[in-house]
Each structure stands twice: as C-alpha cells, then as structure tokens.
Amino acid sequence: MASTEPTPEPTAAPSGQALGTARHVIVVPPEVPMVGLLGARDELLRVLERAFTRVDVLVRGNEITVTGTAAEVALLERLVDQMTTVLRSGQALSPDAVERSVAMLRAQANGTGDDRPADVLTMNILSSRGRTIRPKTVNQKHYVEAIDEHTVVFGIGPAGTGKTYLAMAKAVQALQAKQVNRIVLTRPAVEAGERLGFLPGTLTDKIDPYLRPLYDALHDMLDPDSIPRLMAAGTIEVAPLAYMRGRTLNDAFIILDEAQNTSPEQMKMFLTRLGFGSKIVVTGDVTQVDLPSGTESGLRVVQDILEGIEDVHFSRLTSSDVVRHRLVGEIVDAYGRWEEARPRAGAAHGGRKR
C-alpha cells in the first residue's frame, strides 16, 4: 500500500501555495514499478492530471507530491492506493481503468457507491487463451455477483455494457467447474429491419449468421478446436428461441440474448423451461425493440410481473457501464434524451425503436 506523508499546512502560505490547500507526499513501495503506476510515456499520469484539475502532481523517483484542495488531495491519495493494489495483483492498468476508478471513488465521496475500484478491477471470471475476462464497472461487478447468487437474472441495459459477454463467461466458468452439464444459448429470431425468410439459403444458412455473435463470444472463451466437438456432443447448444418450446432444461446454464425482441408469451415459455440444477440469464436492451408494430416487448412486461420474486434478480446497467468506444456511451445518452423529448402519442401503439 502506498504510504502518505502529510505536510502540515502553514498558517501563512509560502510563495506559490495558496491558503486552504493541502500538500501530501505519497511514497510508492519499491515493489510497485513506477512505469506501471504512471503508464508508458506517462499516459496514466496524464489521466490523473485531467481528472484532478485542482491538484498539482509532482513525481520524483518513487515519491508523488500532490498539492491542492484537501478533498481532492485525499481522493487522489485513495486513487493511487487503489492503483497500487491492482498492480500488486499482477494486473496492468489502462487509461480506461484509471478513469473508471476515478468515477467509482467520486461516487463513494458523493455517497452513491461503496465498491472499491481494486475489488472491481481484480474480480476475475475466466482466463482463456492468454486473457482474463473481468468486470470493468461497479454495475458489472454487481451483475456478475447476482449471477452467482440467484437462479434467474435479468441483465438489462444499452449496447456495449457487457450483458451477454459476462453472462457467457459465467456460463463457461460454470461448465468448466462442472456446476452444470451444458450451456444453452438462444435468441428470438427477429432481426432489425429484416426478416429471416427473405435471406438466401436453407434454414440453417438463415439462422447461423443471426446467431454469429454468440459463436464469436464462445471463440473468445474456449479453444476454437473444441467448440465443434462440444456442440456435436450437445454440451453447448446455440439455437433460436422457438427451439426451446416443449423442453425442460436440467443442469444447464441457459442464456436468452436480445430478449427485448420476445413477446410476453415467448418470455413466459422460455422462463418455464427452467429445470433442476439450472440457471437462467436473460439479457436485452429495452430501447432497441425490433418487434412488429403493436407487439409488446416481453422484457418490458416481465419486469412488472416478476419484480420482487425471491431468487429472481434484475440487474440494470447504464451508459456509464459501456465498455466500447467512449462515443458509444454518449450516443446512448443522446438517444435517451431524444426519446424523452419525443411526443408520447405513438409510443403506446408499440412503434418500432431501433
């Protein structure tokens, strides 16, 4: 843990230091490499300077001197402490991770959060092919924890928040730990602006491209050579939602993706497939419904129906949990403002949203 050496605040400020400021020296332990803390070409130091505009940061050797308002200096000290904890775990830091850590600590300071950045950033789910899959935000951490603690979990949020990817990682983890015997991945056969019947080829040819995102995630998490064998054995099944009707799925980890495109009847059908020893994760974005006009989204309805039932959990992610390009979060927020400003007259008639 980085140690701090507070410098008593003088009664009369010396030249260059204003009254009401605090000055602390953070001593970084010798086992923590400064290049890991500051980043290549000081890229992480630049992130700190942009995030703490009211604090002056001076680095000499393994000492970081911070001068500024007392609250900001204390927050920066906590951030450096969390960064060193992450580095001690063997994980590298990125500018994105540091920015998210700043946001978590500011949320704590405002009384709207209680998770330590180091706990979020070092929570490993699955290691595969030289990379580790882990949550990157507080809400993602809570989502992953909910999957561990509940039988049925709904992950609801905008594009890029990791809803499906994290659920897939938990499914693979459960399979490898022999907690389940198989993984079942499914989607409703509704495509934005297209109908499968107009696509060329056989039924398999029509369906496979639509299910491709699920295959892509599997390839990130498993040896690609093992996937055909696991699918041939029925250990992993990727199929349209219609294929679930009439089945009972025991000892399985079941994921319904793009659930906003289910009807209420389809959602009920899917949820009642749950068998003994199984777990269900339902993911979707209620702002991107591609159902025909007049058809209500099963994902919207189910929140009113099942909210409050024991062992059913709703995890709600927001634009702050988007882990794609920074612009994706801003785009999500912009569309949200646009939707709020639209006249509500046509909304009750089930107009399609894209």
Side-chain angles (χ1 to χ4, degrees), residues 218-257:
L218 282 176
H219 277 264
D220 282 353
M221 301 171 191
L222 293 168
D223 178 3
D225 293 336
S226 71
I227 295 175
R229 173 176 52 81
L230 292 171
M231 295 185 73
T235 305
I236 296 178
E237 179 182 351
V238 184
L241 180 59
Y243 286 30
M244 299 297 108
R245 189 172 295 277
R247 303 174 63 184
T248 299
L249 302 171
N250 296 315
D251 300 312
F253 196 115
I254 314 153
I255 298 174
L256 170 58
D257 190 32

Short mmCIF file of all heavy atoms in Angstrom, two decimals, residues 218-257:
data_model
loop_
_atom_site.label_atom_id
_atom_site.label_comp_id
_atom_site.label_asym_id
_atom_site.label_seq_id
_atom_site.Cartn_x
_atom_site.Cartn_y
_atom_site.Cartn_z
N LEU A 218 -18.10 -17.34 -27.82
CA LEU A 218 -17.56 -18.66 -27.46
C LEU A 218 -16.12 -18.80 -27.91
O LEU A 218 -15.28 -19.36 -27.19
CB LEU A 218 -18.41 -19.76 -28.08
CG LEU A 218 -19.74 -20.09 -27.40
CD1 LEU A 218 -20.49 -21.13 -28.22
CD2 LEU A 218 -19.52 -20.60 -25.98
N HIS A 219 -15.82 -18.31 -29.10
CA HIS A 219 -14.45 -18.41 -29.63
C HIS A 219 -13.47 -17.60 -28.79
O HIS A 219 -12.28 -17.93 -28.73
CB HIS A 219 -14.40 -17.96 -31.09
CG HIS A 219 -14.80 -19.04 -32.05
ND1 HIS A 219 -13.89 -19.84 -32.70
CD2 HIS A 219 -16.02 -19.46 -32.46
CE1 HIS A 219 -14.52 -20.70 -33.48
NE2 HIS A 219 -15.82 -20.49 -33.34
N ASP A 220 -13.94 -16.54 -28.13
CA ASP A 220 -13.07 -15.77 -27.25
C ASP A 220 -12.76 -16.51 -25.96
O ASP A 220 -11.73 -16.24 -25.32
CB ASP A 220 -13.74 -14.43 -26.88
CG ASP A 220 -13.65 -13.41 -27.99
OD1 ASP A 220 -12.94 -13.66 -28.98
OD2 ASP A 220 -14.28 -12.34 -27.85
N MET A 221 -13.63 -17.43 -25.58
CA MET A 221 -13.54 -18.03 -24.24
C MET A 221 -13.11 -19.49 -24.23
O MET A 221 -12.77 -20.02 -23.17
CB MET A 221 -14.90 -17.91 -23.54
CG MET A 221 -15.36 -16.47 -23.38
SD MET A 221 -17.06 -16.34 -22.80
CE MET A 221 -17.35 -14.58 -23.05
N LEU A 222 -13.17 -20.15 -25.38
CA LEU A 222 -12.82 -21.56 -25.46
C LEU A 222 -11.86 -21.80 -26.61
O LEU A 222 -11.77 -20.98 -27.55
CB LEU A 222 -14.08 -22.41 -25.68
CG LEU A 222 -15.09 -22.47 -24.53
CD1 LEU A 222 -16.39 -23.10 -25.02
CD2 LEU A 222 -14.53 -23.27 -23.36
N ASP A 223 -11.16 -22.90 -26.55
CA ASP A 223 -10.31 -23.31 -27.66
C ASP A 223 -11.21 -23.53 -28.88
O ASP A 223 -12.12 -24.37 -28.84
CB ASP A 223 -9.57 -24.59 -27.30
CG ASP A 223 -8.69 -25.11 -28.43
OD1 ASP A 223 -8.62 -24.43 -29.47
OD2 ASP A 223 -8.11 -26.19 -28.26
N PRO A 224 -11.00 -22.78 -29.98
CA PRO A 224 -11.88 -22.92 -31.14
C PRO A 224 -12.00 -24.35 -31.65
O PRO A 224 -13.07 -24.75 -32.14
CB PRO A 224 -11.22 -22.01 -32.19
CG PRO A 224 -10.47 -21.01 -31.39
CD PRO A 224 -9.98 -21.74 -30.18
N ASP A 225 -10.94 -25.14 -31.51
CA ASP A 225 -10.99 -26.52 -31.99
C ASP A 225 -11.93 -27.38 -31.16
O ASP A 225 -12.44 -28.40 -31.64
CB ASP A 225 -9.58 -27.14 -31.96
CG ASP A 225 -8.65 -26.47 -32.97
OD1 ASP A 225 -9.16 -25.90 -33.96
OD2 ASP A 225 -7.42 -26.52 -32.77
N SER A 226 -12.18 -26.97 -29.90
CA SER A 226 -13.05 -27.77 -29.02
C SER A 226 -14.52 -27.45 -29.22
O SER A 226 -15.38 -28.25 -28.83
CB SER A 226 -12.67 -27.54 -27.56
OG SER A 226 -13.05 -26.25 -27.13
N ILE A 227 -14.84 -26.31 -29.81
CA ILE A 227 -16.23 -25.88 -29.91
C ILE A 227 -17.07 -26.83 -30.77
O ILE A 227 -18.16 -27.25 -30.35
CB ILE A 227 -16.33 -24.43 -30.40
CG1 ILE A 227 -15.71 -23.49 -29.35
CG2 ILE A 227 -17.78 -24.03 -30.68
CD1 ILE A 227 -15.63 -22.04 -29.77
N PRO A 228 -16.62 -27.23 -31.99
CA PRO A 228 -17.44 -28.18 -32.77
C PRO A 228 -17.68 -29.49 -32.03
O PRO A 228 -18.78 -30.06 -32.10
CB PRO A 228 -16.60 -28.39 -34.03
CG PRO A 228 -15.76 -27.16 -34.15
CD PRO A 228 -15.45 -26.78 -32.74
N ARG A 229 -16.66 -29.96 -31.30
CA ARG A 229 -16.82 -31.21 -30.55
C ARG A 229 -17.85 -31.05 -29.44
O ARG A 229 -18.71 -31.91 -29.23
CB ARG A 229 -15.46 -31.63 -29.98
CG ARG A 229 -15.52 -32.83 -29.05
CD ARG A 229 -14.13 -33.24 -28.60
NE ARG A 229 -13.36 -32.13 -28.06
CZ ARG A 229 -13.48 -31.67 -26.81
NH1 ARG A 229 -14.35 -32.25 -26.00
NH2 ARG A 229 -12.73 -30.69 -26.39
N LEU A 230 -17.79 -29.92 -28.72
CA LEU A 230 -18.74 -29.68 -27.63
C LEU A 230 -20.15 -29.51 -28.16
O LEU A 230 -21.13 -29.96 -27.55
CB LEU A 230 -18.32 -28.44 -26.84
CG LEU A 230 -17.02 -28.57 -26.02
CD1 LEU A 230 -16.59 -27.21 -25.47
CD2 LEU A 230 -17.21 -29.56 -24.87
N MET A 231 -20.28 -28.89 -29.33
CA MET A 231 -21.61 -28.70 -29.91
C MET A 231 -22.16 -30.01 -30.45
O MET A 231 -23.36 -30.30 -30.32
CB MET A 231 -21.55 -27.63 -31.01
CG MET A 231 -21.20 -26.24 -30.47
SD MET A 231 -21.27 -24.93 -31.70
CE MET A 231 -23.05 -24.78 -31.89
N ALA A 232 -21.30 -30.82 -31.03
CA ALA A 232 -21.74 -32.12 -31.53
C ALA A 232 -22.21 -33.02 -30.40
O ALA A 232 -23.15 -33.81 -30.56
CB ALA A 232 -20.62 -32.79 -32.31
N ALA A 233 -21.58 -32.88 -29.23
CA ALA A 233 -21.96 -33.70 -28.08
C ALA A 233 -23.16 -33.14 -27.33
O ALA A 233 -23.66 -33.78 -26.39
CB ALA A 233 -20.77 -33.82 -27.12
N GLY A 234 -23.63 -31.95 -27.72
CA GLY A 234 -24.75 -31.33 -27.03
C GLY A 234 -24.37 -30.60 -25.77
O GLY A 234 -25.24 -30.13 -25.04
N THR A 235 -23.06 -30.51 -25.49
CA THR A 235 -22.60 -29.79 -24.30
C THR A 235 -22.84 -28.30 -24.44
O THR A 235 -23.11 -27.60 -23.46
CB THR A 235 -21.11 -30.08 -24.05
OG1 THR A 235 -20.91 -31.50 -23.97
CG2 THR A 235 -20.63 -29.43 -22.76
N ILE A 236 -22.72 -27.80 -25.66
CA ILE A 236 -23.06 -26.41 -25.97
C ILE A 236 -24.08 -26.42 -27.09
O ILE A 236 -23.88 -27.07 -28.12
CB ILE A 236 -21.82 -25.60 -26.40
CG1 ILE A 236 -20.82 -25.49 -25.24
CG2 ILE A 236 -22.23 -24.20 -26.86
CD1 ILE A 236 -19.54 -24.76 -25.60
N GLU A 237 -25.17 -25.70 -26.88
CA GLU A 237 -26.23 -25.62 -27.88
C GLU A 237 -26.52 -24.15 -28.17
O GLU A 237 -26.73 -23.36 -27.24
CB GLU A 237 -27.49 -26.31 -27.39
CG GLU A 237 -28.65 -26.24 -28.36
CD GLU A 237 -29.91 -26.89 -27.83
OE1 GLU A 237 -29.84 -27.55 -26.76
OE2 GLU A 237 -30.98 -26.74 -28.46
N VAL A 238 -26.52 -23.78 -29.44
CA VAL A 238 -26.87 -22.43 -29.87
C VAL A 238 -28.06 -22.56 -30.81
O VAL A 238 -27.95 -23.20 -31.86
CB VAL A 238 -25.69 -21.72 -30.57
CG1 VAL A 238 -26.07 -20.29 -30.90
CG2 VAL A 238 -24.44 -21.75 -29.69
N ALA A 239 -29.20 -21.99 -30.43
CA ALA A 239 -30.41 -22.23 -31.21
C ALA A 239 -31.38 -21.06 -31.08
O ALA A 239 -31.35 -20.32 -30.09
CB ALA A 239 -31.09 -23.51 -30.74
N PRO A 240 -32.27 -20.89 -32.06
CA PRO A 240 -33.32 -19.87 -31.95
C PRO A 240 -34.27 -20.19 -30.81
O PRO A 240 -34.42 -21.35 -30.41
CB PRO A 240 -34.04 -19.95 -33.31
CG PRO A 240 -33.11 -20.68 -34.21
CD PRO A 240 -32.31 -21.59 -33.35
N LEU A 241 -34.93 -19.18 -30.30
CA LEU A 241 -35.82 -19.34 -29.16
C LEU A 241 -36.94 -20.33 -29.43
O LEU A 241 -37.37 -21.06 -28.53
CB LEU A 241 -36.40 -17.97 -28.77
CG LEU A 241 -37.37 -17.95 -27.59
CD1 LEU A 241 -36.71 -18.49 -26.32
CD2 LEU A 241 -37.88 -16.53 -27.36
N ALA A 242 -37.43 -20.38 -30.67
CA ALA A 242 -38.54 -21.29 -31.00
C ALA A 242 -38.19 -22.74 -30.71
O ALA A 242 -39.08 -23.56 -30.45
CB ALA A 242 -38.94 -21.12 -32.46
N TYR A 243 -36.88 -23.08 -30.73
CA TYR A 243 -36.45 -24.45 -30.49
C TYR A 243 -36.56 -24.85 -29.01
O TYR A 243 -36.38 -26.02 -28.67
CB TYR A 243 -35.00 -24.64 -30.94
CG TYR A 243 -34.80 -24.70 -32.43
CD1 TYR A 243 -35.64 -24.03 -33.31
CD2 TYR A 243 -33.74 -25.43 -32.97
CE1 TYR A 243 -35.44 -24.07 -34.68
CE2 TYR A 243 -33.53 -25.48 -34.35
CZ TYR A 243 -34.39 -24.80 -35.19
OH TYR A 243 -34.21 -24.83 -36.55
N MET A 244 -36.85 -23.87 -28.13
CA MET A 244 -36.94 -24.15 -26.70
C MET A 244 -38.31 -24.68 -26.30
O MET A 244 -38.47 -25.26 -25.22
CB MET A 244 -36.64 -22.88 -25.89
CG MET A 244 -35.26 -22.29 -26.10
SD MET A 244 -33.93 -23.40 -25.58
CE MET A 244 -33.27 -23.87 -27.19
N ARG A 245 -39.32 -24.50 -27.13
CA ARG A 245 -40.68 -24.85 -26.76
C ARG A 245 -40.81 -26.35 -26.46
O ARG A 245 -40.26 -27.18 -27.18
CB ARG A 245 -41.65 -24.45 -27.88
CG ARG A 245 -43.12 -24.58 -27.48
CD ARG A 245 -44.02 -24.00 -28.55
NE ARG A 245 -43.83 -22.57 -28.71
CZ ARG A 245 -44.40 -21.65 -27.94
NH1 ARG A 245 -45.18 -22.03 -26.92
NH2 ARG A 245 -44.20 -20.38 -28.16
N GLY A 246 -41.50 -26.67 -25.36
CA GLY A 246 -41.76 -28.06 -25.00
C GLY A 246 -40.63 -28.76 -24.29
O GLY A 246 -40.75 -29.94 -23.97
N ARG A 247 -39.55 -28.05 -23.98
CA ARG A 247 -38.40 -28.68 -23.34
C ARG A 247 -38.31 -28.33 -21.86
O ARG A 247 -38.83 -27.30 -21.42
CB ARG A 247 -37.10 -28.24 -24.04
CG ARG A 247 -37.07 -28.54 -25.51
CD ARG A 247 -35.84 -27.96 -26.18
NE ARG A 247 -34.60 -28.54 -25.65
CZ ARG A 247 -33.39 -28.14 -26.03
NH1 ARG A 247 -33.25 -27.15 -26.92
NH2 ARG A 247 -32.32 -28.72 -25.54
N THR A 248 -37.64 -29.19 -21.10
CA THR A 248 -37.25 -28.90 -19.72
C THR A 248 -35.74 -29.05 -19.64
O THR A 248 -35.20 -30.10 -19.98
CB THR A 248 -37.92 -29.85 -18.72
OG1 THR A 248 -39.34 -29.71 -18.82
CG2 THR A 248 -37.48 -29.53 -17.30
N LEU A 249 -35.06 -27.99 -19.22
CA LEU A 249 -33.61 -27.97 -19.25
C LEU A 249 -33.05 -28.11 -17.84
O LEU A 249 -33.12 -27.19 -17.02
CB LEU A 249 -33.13 -26.66 -19.89
CG LEU A 249 -33.64 -26.42 -21.32
CD1 LEU A 249 -33.29 -25.01 -21.78
CD2 LEU A 249 -33.05 -27.45 -22.27
N ASN A 250 -32.52 -29.29 -17.55
CA ASN A 250 -31.91 -29.59 -16.25
C ASN A 250 -30.40 -29.44 -16.31
O ASN A 250 -29.79 -29.68 -17.36
CB ASN A 250 -32.26 -31.01 -15.80
CG ASN A 250 -33.74 -31.21 -15.55
OD1 ASN A 250 -34.38 -30.37 -14.92
ND2 ASN A 250 -34.29 -32.31 -16.05
N ASP A 251 -29.80 -29.07 -15.18
CA ASP A 251 -28.33 -28.99 -15.05
C ASP A 251 -27.72 -28.20 -16.21
O ASP A 251 -26.71 -28.61 -16.78
CB ASP A 251 -27.72 -30.39 -15.00
CG ASP A 251 -28.24 -31.20 -13.82
OD1 ASP A 251 -28.25 -30.64 -12.70
OD2 ASP A 251 -28.65 -32.36 -14.02
N ALA A 252 -28.32 -27.07 -16.53
CA ALA A 252 -27.86 -26.27 -17.67
C ALA A 252 -27.72 -24.81 -17.27
O ALA A 252 -28.40 -24.32 -16.36
CB ALA A 252 -28.84 -26.40 -18.84
N PHE A 253 -26.82 -24.12 -17.96
CA PHE A 253 -26.71 -22.67 -17.85
C PHE A 253 -27.32 -22.12 -19.13
O PHE A 253 -26.80 -22.34 -20.22
CB PHE A 253 -25.24 -22.25 -17.72
CG PHE A 253 -25.04 -20.84 -17.22
CD1 PHE A 253 -24.43 -20.61 -16.00
CD2 PHE A 253 -25.46 -19.74 -17.96
CE1 PHE A 253 -24.24 -19.32 -15.52
CE2 PHE A 253 -25.27 -18.45 -17.50
CZ PHE A 253 -24.66 -18.24 -16.27
N ILE A 254 -28.45 -21.42 -18.99
CA ILE A 254 -29.25 -21.03 -20.15
C ILE A 254 -29.22 -19.50 -20.29
O ILE A 254 -29.52 -18.78 -19.32
CB ILE A 254 -30.71 -21.50 -19.99
CG1 ILE A 254 -30.74 -22.96 -19.52
CG2 ILE A 254 -31.48 -21.33 -21.29
CD1 ILE A 254 -31.99 -23.31 -18.74
N ILE A 255 -28.88 -19.02 -21.47
CA ILE A 255 -28.82 -17.57 -21.73
C ILE A 255 -29.77 -17.23 -22.86
O ILE A 255 -29.70 -17.80 -23.95
CB ILE A 255 -27.39 -17.13 -22.10
CG1 ILE A 255 -26.42 -17.40 -20.95
CG2 ILE A 255 -27.38 -15.63 -22.45
CD1 ILE A 255 -24.97 -17.11 -21.30
N LEU A 256 -30.68 -16.29 -22.59
CA LEU A 256 -31.54 -15.73 -23.62
C LEU A 256 -31.02 -14.34 -23.94
O LEU A 256 -31.06 -13.44 -23.11
CB LEU A 256 -33.00 -15.66 -23.14
CG LEU A 256 -33.97 -14.87 -24.03
CD1 LEU A 256 -34.03 -15.43 -25.44
CD2 LEU A 256 -35.36 -14.83 -23.41
N ASP A 257 -30.52 -14.16 -25.15
CA ASP A 257 -29.95 -12.89 -25.59
C ASP A 257 -30.98 -12.12 -26.43
O ASP A 257 -31.91 -12.72 -26.99
CB ASP A 257 -28.69 -13.17 -26.42
CG ASP A 257 -27.90 -11.91 -26.71
OD1 ASP A 257 -27.92 -10.99 -25.88
OD2 ASP A 257 -27.26 -11.86 -27.79
#
